[in-house]
Amino acid sequence: MCISSWAVAATSLTGFSGALVTRNCTQVVPGEYLGTPFESHLEILNRSSEKAWFKIRDPTGQHVCESDLESDLSLLTFSYLNSSGQRPLYEKIKRLVIVAHGARRNSHDYHNQMLHALSLVDHPDINPDTVAVVSPYLPVDFDIGIGYPDPNDPQVASRALVRFFDRWLIQRYAAMTKSPEELGVDTPITYYVGNPNSLLWFDESRSMSTGNCSETWNYWREGLPNYMNYDVENSGEMIYKVELAQAGPKAILANYNSKSIAHGRATRDRSDFKEIYDCAVYTTGKDGSERFLEFLKRFPATSETMFESEAGRTRLFLDNWDGDGSRAFDFGYPRIQAGDDPHPDPALAGGPLAEVDYAVYAGGMTWRGCWSDVDEAQTVVTFPDEPLYRGNLLTRDYCAEVCAAAGFAIAGMNGSKCFCANALGYQAAPVVSTSCTLASPANASQTCGGPSRLMILAADGVELWDLLGSL
Ligand SMILES: *[C@@H]1O[C@H](CO)[C@@H](O)[C@H](O)[C@H]1NC(C)=O
Ligand SMILES: *[C@@H]1O[C@H](CO)[C@@H](O)[C@H](O)[C@H]1NC(C)=O
Ligand SMILES: *[C@@H]1O[C@H](CO)[C@@H](O)[C@H](O)[C@H]1NC(C)=O
Ligand SMILES: *[C@@H]1O[C@H](CO)[C@@H](O)[C@H](O)[C@H]1NC(C)=O
Ligand SMILES: *[C@@H]1O[C@H](CO)[C@@H](O)[C@H](O)[C@H]1NC(C)=O
Ligand SMILES: *[C@@H]1O[C@H](CO)[C@@H](O)[C@H](O)[C@H]1NC(C)=O
């Protein structure tokens, strides 16, 4: 018996506690189904699974069952059934995968996708009888009436449960949870973190700019400084891993890095957002894809796609299957851009980058990649609002010619607009080249910038301002 999963820790954090029915506070072991069912709109999408409820301890510690029998919580969890359509046999399970949903709280979707990914694994011993898949539903306030009934009804889900898990994405979870030793488990745990990004940042520097952010920009959600008193009015005093939290971001980063973590990159769900109040847009990238790469640049790890990719399946199901620590190579080819993945498959080294342009354009300009331009002004200072050329003739060649002829050393393109400059704005920062998605009007096989992004060409010897590099 060897259970290996990032989320074994999830169950240990909250601590399974006594059954409501018997009012018995003896710890129950994972696998006992003792929660109180409640209504929710979430559907079962794969018939090989069921909604199951587990009794867990109130994570704020205010209502642990010793002091308040009624108030312990019921956690809705999508659980798979084994190949006979029954709850799986504990003895047969070799691996436990707990999949935590993202901000949309669609645990049923995640569960379905994980079961599908499991069905794609080509290995005689890896199947629904040997791999347990459970997907907890971690609601937020406004799921009341949809995801769960009245939170003041202690029989079901309490406000504390709602609050505690709010934005406890697995990445944050890995940063704050106990080590396997502290948890008292001797089986390997791997945290599979999809789209690590600016929702957890381990220091105060950012790859772009903080100029457009409120003074609380580095607070919980973007950073860590107020972790200890976050939502204290609703959730009560923080009691979990207090010493680590007080020790600060460096210690939290060290705790994070002490875990076995595989990073996954979602390529379809890029979680784009560009809200003015949302500082991430200015600090670390306009969407999940950019922020993912900025995070890995700053806190390097490996990059992959999620569940159903070959990489995802390998990390989730195959790695260390026999408990010998084995791990397949890290994926990541073809490269999106240099620096995507510092630990590639050696056999594939030297493979092509997704975006390369070695052409030399007018004025000796060469391709310098995609740059941020959040307020449509920060990148090209010379003509912040007005392009020097706008029209259907635009290509990289054309824009370079226009700018070189007017005596400029830098050309910035976005769709049909060509901006010229001799320096970039102080807030401009290089981003992953796939963020420049617009085609050049006169050459469809060439990209020319994108929403809030400019593609930059610059003459030989022009050093582009790089906020991160300049720190
Ligand atoms: C509580 O449960 C445990 C384990 O099932 C049992 O041994 C114990 O007798 C129970 N205690 C009470 C007070 O029911
Ligand atoms: C499925 O689980 C049930 C117990 O709930 C067990 O009796 C049955 O043998 C299991 N089927 C397989 C194929 O493991
Ligand atoms: C449902 O889950 C099972 C694994 O239990 C899997 O074999 C099957 O492919 C899944 N069905 C769909 C439609 O994904
Ligand atoms: C961001 O800052 C720039 C320069 O300070 C300013 O022009 C712009 O309006 C700001 N944008 C927002 C959304 O506050
Ligand atoms: C780039 O073009 C797109 C599409 O026209 C537009 O939404 C965006 O604001 C433009 N950005 C800049 C920096 O011009
Ligand atoms: C169009 O763009 C592609 C990719 O940058 C380039 O290889 C090709 O030469 C361009 N065609 C013309 C006619 O400029």
Side-chain angles (χ1 to χ4, degrees):
M1 172 77 190
C2 161
I3 291 184
S4 160
S5 155
W6 39 263
V8 168
T11 56
S12 312
L13 166 71
T14 49
F16 281 86
S17 71
L20 183 76
V21 179
T22 60
R23 303 282 192 269
N24 185 333
C25 290
T26 308
Q27 294 261 118
V28 299
V29 297
E32 288 189 57
Y33 299 77
L34 293 170
T36 312
F38 58 80
E39 284 301 313
S40 95
H41 71 297
L42 305 175
E43 296 163 40
I44 294 168
L45 296 174
N46 183 312
R47 281 164 44 175
S48 312
S49 53
E50 65 169 338
K51 288 184 188 182
W53 281 265
F54 294 87
K55 212 68 193 164
I56 61 169
R57 208 162 264 206
D58 185 320
T60 67
Q62 295 174 110
H63 302 294
V64 292
C65 67
E66 286 87 355
S67 58
D68 187 347
L69 288 172
E70 302 290 335
S71 296
D72 279 346
L73 311 171
S74 208
L75 178 67
L76 166 58
T77 300
F78 286 81
S79 297
Y80 83 120
L81 299 168
N82 71 10
S83 61
S84 322
Q86 289 168 290
R87 288 177 177 171
L89 273 186
Y90 186 62
E91 296 74 32
K92 285 197 176 180
I93 295 170
K94 247 188 111 177
R95 171 158 306 193
L96 169 61
V97 173
I98 301 187
V99 52
H101 57 74
R104 288 172 60 206
R105 307 168 314 284
N106 48 342
S107 47
H108 56 323
D109 281 331
Y110 277 70
H111 189 69
N112 190 37
Q113 286 172 29
M114 191 61 81
L115 287 182
H116 184 65
L118 175 59
S119 76
L120 298 176
V121 176
D122 184 19
H123 185 293
D125 302 331
I126 300 179
N127 55 55
D129 298 319
T130 56
V131 177
V133 178
V134 298
S135 317
Y137 168 53
L138 311 173
V140 299
D141 283 14
F142 42 82
D143 292 328
I144 181 172
I146 306 167
Y148 63 93
D150 182 358
N152 296 317
D153 177 352
Q155 297 286 306
V156 286
S158 87
R159 177 155 293 270
L161 177 66
V162 169
R163 286 287 178 164
F164 184 76
F165 285 113
D166 183 19
R167 302 193 174 126
W168 266 79
L169 308 181
I170 203 73
Q171 185 187 12
R172 294 173 167 184
Y173 186 74
M176 295 310 298
T177 42
K178 297 172 179 175
S179 64
E181 295 74 35
E182 289 172 301
L183 290 167
V185 296
D186 54 11
T187 49
I189 299 176
T190 298
Y191 296 78
Y192 186 82
V193 177
N195 274 355
N197 62 37
S198 56
L199 298 182
L200 183 67
W201 204 256
F202 295 106
D203 61 31
E204 281 196 26
S205 72
R206 292 294 192 277
S207 32
M208 296 182 189
S209 151
T210 56
N212 273 82
C213 306
S214 75
E215 58 189 32
T216 56
W217 65 272
N218 196 33
Y219 277 19
W220 180 244
R221 192 180 187 298
E222 307 263 321
L224 289 162
N226 66 332
Y227 174 81
M228 281 301 292
N229 45 25
Y230 173 73
D231 198 43
V232 68
E233 323 79 89
N234 292 295
S235 306
E237 197 188 333
M238 170 59 72
I239 58 164
Y240 185 77
K241 272 287 218 181
V242 169
E243 277 176 25
L244 176 65
Q246 281 169 342
K250 268 200 184 125
I252 294 171
L253 176 60
N255 188 49
Y256 186 72
N257 286 336
S258 74
K259 312 283 172 60
S260 165
I261 295 180
H263 288 105
R265 175 185 187 182
T267 49
R268 276 185 307 160
D269 173 12
R270 292 160 70 112
S271 53
D272 298 75
F273 58 82
K274 182 180 183 256
E275 308 273 356
I276 284 168
Y277 60 82
D278 212 324
C279 197
V281 169
Y282 295 101
T283 57
T284 47
K286 75 182 171 72
D287 64 28
S289 183
E290 278 189 9
R291 290 195 299 278
F292 171 83
L293 289 161
E294 293 305 327
F295 179 87
L296 293 183
K297 239 196 274 176
R298 194 70 185 75
F299 309 106
T302 64
S303 78
E304 296 143 10
T305 50
M306 289 179 79
F307 311 161
E308 289 167 30
S309 67
E310 192 187 353
R313 294 200 307 268
T314 301
R315 292 286 94 85
L316 285 161
F317 304 115
L318 293 160
D319 279 357
N320 196 27
W321 176 254
D322 293 311
D324 59 0
S326 66
R327 180 181 160 102
F329 69 86
D330 285 307
F331 296 77
Y333 285 90
R335 286 289 200 270
I336 303 292
Q337 67 176 29
D340 265 15
D341 183 348
H343 305 292
D345 172 10
L348 295 170
L353 298 175
E355 162 85 78
V356 276
D357 180 355
Y358 297 118
V360 178
Y361 296 100
M365 292 187 203
T366 51
W367 178 78
R368 302 291 188 91
C370 188
W371 288 67
S372 70
D373 197 48
V374 172
D375 291 298
E376 302 199 11
Q378 67 188 42
T379 302
V380 183
V381 282
T382 321
F383 294 104
D385 299 319
E386 271 311 301
L388 209 58
Y389 170 81
R390 179 201 300 259
N392 290 334
L393 297 177
L394 199 69
T395 60
R396 293 179 185 181
D397 277 291
Y398 197 89
C399 188
E401 275 171 31
V402 166
C403 293
F408 291 103
I410 298 175
M413 270 165 284
N414 180 30
S416 60
K417 288 180 275 183
C418 171
F419 299 90
C420 305
N422 283 320
L424 296 188
Y426 79 102
Q427 292 192 83
V431 299
V432 55
S433 59
T434 48
S435 281
C436 281
T437 48
L438 291 176
S440 300
N443 184 348
S445 59
Q446 205 175 60
T447 55
C448 268
S452 305
R453 297 294 178 260
L454 290 180
M455 216 218 51
I456 297 292
L457 305 175
D460 198 27
V462 172
E463 283 193 27
L464 300 181
W465 177 257
D466 178 342
L467 188 68
L468 190 63
S470 73
L471 287 173

